[in-house]
Amino acid sequence: MPIQELPRDEDLSLLVDLYELTMLQAYWAEGMHDTATFSLFFRKLPPHRNYMLACGQQHVARLISQLRFGDSQIEALRRLDLFQSAFLDWLADFRFTGTLHALPEGTPVFPHEPLLEVEAPIGEAQFLESLIMNYVHLETVLASKASRIVNAAQGRPVVDFGMRRMHGIDAAVRGVRAYRMAGISATSNVLGASRHDLPARGTMAHSFIQAHDSEDVALQAFAREFPGTALLVDTYDTVDAVKRLIGWLDANPDLHISAIRLDSGDLGELAKTCRHLLDHGGYPEIKITASGGLNEYRIQDLLADDAPIDSFGVGTALGAASDAPCLELAYKLTEYAGEPRLKHSPGKHSLPGRKQVYRESDAEGFYRRDTLTLRDETAPGMPLLQPIIIDGEFQAERMADPDTAREASLDAVARLPEGLHRLDQGAAYRVDISERIHDYRRQAEARLGLPSDG
């Protein structure tokens, strides 16, 4: 049997935890088909984060509308020897029939605010839990990390170099989508660039230099093969390489390079020395790009020290979101059969009901607070959750094209209070919870005989 590394779209109906299918059969067997609302949210921000950038929620909505159980998927479930034949026959006709409200891609989001809400017959809604969480978790974590790095770079381009240390090839491809949303300028990942229409950029590896008997021969050969390229100059002696580069550019006016790349050593001091050499050598147009173990903190420090670096390549810190690689997303039942539902466990409370988030701006257009309400309430500001699936039909016209979504996301981040752009965790953004949500919670607690939190 050939190895299939990436899941095929037709197999996504099996990308679930087993208990979602066993619960689905149990709901089916009991005749429980009333409408349920499930909310996807997180209770607290990861370390060092002042906001998360919601990503993937509209992407997964398109997949949900297309989920099917074909013959091969039904046969895979039959081999588990867990499911009734009549249930599998029912599953063969599965279609998502519900509604899904979601934040627009690239929306800054805060604790307890739904990234999306699913309203559907309870089995359908329950079945989607792990697929939704996987898609939204990965892209939200990566977009949020990318947003921090883009902010630290202060308008200088950032290129994704992270593929080789990412957690799987699926993450490497889907990550490029999240990076584009957050403002990353380009990627070295050719498949990701092709899939998500982000420019592909790269230079060379040290091995290309090492494979030649002379560094100059290697660099000149590459420059002739790829006019306007960026050259890696730190394989042996960075300063000496740049001095020689200026000499052979003078002697070969047909050669043209756009940048040099620094990948090791004291990047700040090397950038200053190389900038001086290039400027005084008559090549002020040649830019300097830096890479090598960079993250947002190192970028911030380099720029604070006035390092003349024009762009950055970021790998592991971006691709693995290494300082905060996970977000404790929760997908919780908040309403069933018209009644409020909640989780009351210590430290893991959930808020009942179908919800809306209103975002209010000040006179200058900066965000000042959010209000979390029940769906049929109103509050100051703009409502953020919008229907992206209605009665099982994906609303393609409601999903912004990638360029528009990127621009909207960058604008939204720029409108956050200034303190939220800091790399350390600052004052929390204000999120108010409406009194009607609290009343609804107390109603649910009373019905279940639970002590009220007030």
Side-chain angles (χ1 to χ4, degrees):
M1 177 180 295
I3 295 174
Q4 180 70 35
E5 293 287 355
L6 287 171
R8 302 172 300 175
D9 285 354
E10 56 264 36
D11 286 330
L12 290 179
S13 57
L14 298 183
L15 194 59
V16 297
D17 285 305
L18 181 62
Y19 79 166
E20 283 141 17
L21 287 167
T22 54
M23 282 190 288
L24 180 54
Q25 177 171 293
Y27 288 136
W28 169 82
E30 292 182 81
M32 292 179 64
H33 303 301
D34 283 334
T35 299
T37 300
F38 280 79
S39 184
L40 182 74
F41 65 98
F42 57 90
R43 296 182 178 91
K44 64 180 182 179
L45 289 160
H48 317 299
R49 301 291 187 266
N50 292 314
Y51 63 91
M52 299 301 289
L53 202 61
C55 191
Q57 64 275 12
Q58 292 183 316
H59 185 195
V60 78
R62 185 190 300 273
L63 297 175
I64 287 168
S65 69
Q66 298 169 352
L67 284 178
R68 304 289 186 269
F69 288 88
D71 292 344
S72 63
Q73 291 79 42
I74 294 295
E75 184 56 32
L77 295 179
R78 197 180 306 279
R79 289 196 299 269
L80 295 177
D81 199 25
L82 282 172
F83 301 106
Q84 298 181 36
S85 293
F87 170 70
L88 294 178
D89 292 341
W90 177 82
L91 211 58
D93 293 326
F94 177 89
R95 303 289 187 274
F96 180 72
T97 63
T99 294
L100 188 150
H101 288 75
L103 299 177
E105 298 277 356
T107 301
V109 63
F110 302 93
H112 301 291
E113 297 181 339
L115 286 78
L116 62 78
E117 287 196 333
V118 176
E119 299 149 34
I122 189 167
E124 293 181 28
Q126 182 79 69
F127 165 69
L128 300 174
E129 177 181 11
S130 294
L131 179 66
I132 284 175
M133 292 181 72
N134 178 276
Y135 264 81
V136 177
H137 179 270
L138 174 70
E139 295 186 25
T140 295
V141 165
L142 294 180
S144 302
K145 180 65 171 182
S147 181
R148 287 167 59 81
I149 294 170
V150 168
N151 287 342
Q154 300 176 29
R156 294 160 180 82
V158 177
V159 181
D160 157 41
F161 284 177
M163 172 172 60
R164 63 190 62 185
R165 294 192 179 96
M166 291 184 72
H167 299 158
I169 57 179
D170 177 60
V173 176
R174 284 172 47 203
V176 174
R177 180 177 184 275
Y179 302 152
R180 176 177 180 170
M181 183 73 61
I184 296 293
S185 299
T187 179
S188 65
N189 179 342
V190 176
L191 179 58
S194 174
R195 289 277 180 90
H196 301 299
D197 197 24
L198 192 67
R201 296 285 185 270
T203 55
M204 56 172 58
H206 291 100
S207 57
F208 186 82
I209 311 296
Q210 295 167 300
H212 291 75
D213 292 335
S214 162
E215 184 175 32
D216 288 352
V217 169
L219 294 176
Q220 290 180 52
F222 205 83
R224 291 189 188 280
E225 188 69 22
F226 299 101
T229 190
L231 295 179
L232 183 65
V233 295
D234 74 326
T235 303
Y236 303 121
D237 183 313
T238 301
V239 173
D240 188 53
V242 172
K243 289 178 179 177
R244 296 195 321 274
L245 180 150
I246 291 170
W248 56 257
L249 284 176
D250 288 341
N252 297 274
D254 59 314
L255 292 180
H256 169 63
I257 68 169
S258 61
I260 61 170
R261 175 179 157 212
L262 308 176
D263 191 55
S264 59
D266 187 331
L267 296 176
E269 289 305 311
L270 285 172
K272 292 174 183 178
T273 300
C274 292
R275 183 74 276 154
H276 175 81
L277 290 171
L278 291 167
D279 288 350
H280 285 266
Y283 296 96
E285 75 280 3
I286 294 179
K287 298 185 180 299
I288 297 174
T289 187
S291 59
L294 292 179
N295 58 26
E296 60 267 46
Y297 298 101
R298 289 196 65 195
I299 291 172
Q300 178 179 258
D301 290 345
L302 285 165
L303 297 183
D305 192 39
D306 295 323
I309 296 172
D310 300 292
S311 62
F312 299 93
V314 184
T316 303
L318 175 60
S322 50
D323 64 325
C326 63
L327 174 65
E328 290 296 326
L329 279 177
Y331 182 80
K332 297 301 178 187
L333 178 67
T334 64
E335 192 173 270
Y336 178 62
E339 294 287 345
R341 310 287 167 155
L342 52 73
K343 186 172 182 179
H344 201 266
S345 306
K348 292 191 174 183
H349 287 200
S350 60
L351 298 171
R354 306 179 187 192
K355 301 180 189 68
Q356 181 56 274
V357 180
Y358 288 88
R359 181 154 292 166
E360 187 177 357
S361 302
D362 64 18
E364 287 75 39
F366 291 95
Y367 300 139
R368 61 182 299 267
R369 69 168 176 177
D370 290 355
T371 304
L372 184 59
T373 71
L374 293 178
R375 184 76 53 75
D376 60 356
E377 291 186 80
T378 58
M382 293 292 294
L384 299 184
L385 288 163
Q386 301 295 332
I388 192 72
I389 300 177
I390 299 175
D391 296 332
E393 296 296 325
F394 181 71
Q395 308 297 302
E397 72 282 359
R398 294 176 182 262
M399 190 168 179
D401 67 80
D403 287 335
T404 302
R406 174 190 175 99
E407 291 170 8
S409 177
L410 290 171
D411 177 68
V413 170
R415 294 173 64 187
L416 290 172
E418 184 177 352
L420 299 190
H421 294 137
R422 295 168 49 182
L423 297 184
D424 56 334
Q425 219 154 11
Y429 181 76
R430 179 177 171 182
V431 178
D432 294 338
I433 299 174
S434 76
E435 188 58 33
R436 279 192 59 198
I437 289 181
H438 289 304
D439 288 342
Y440 210 35
R441 174 176 54 81
R442 286 188 283 266
Q443 177 184 330
E445 290 167 339
R447 184 174 55 82
L448 294 169
L450 297 171
S452 176
D453 290 332

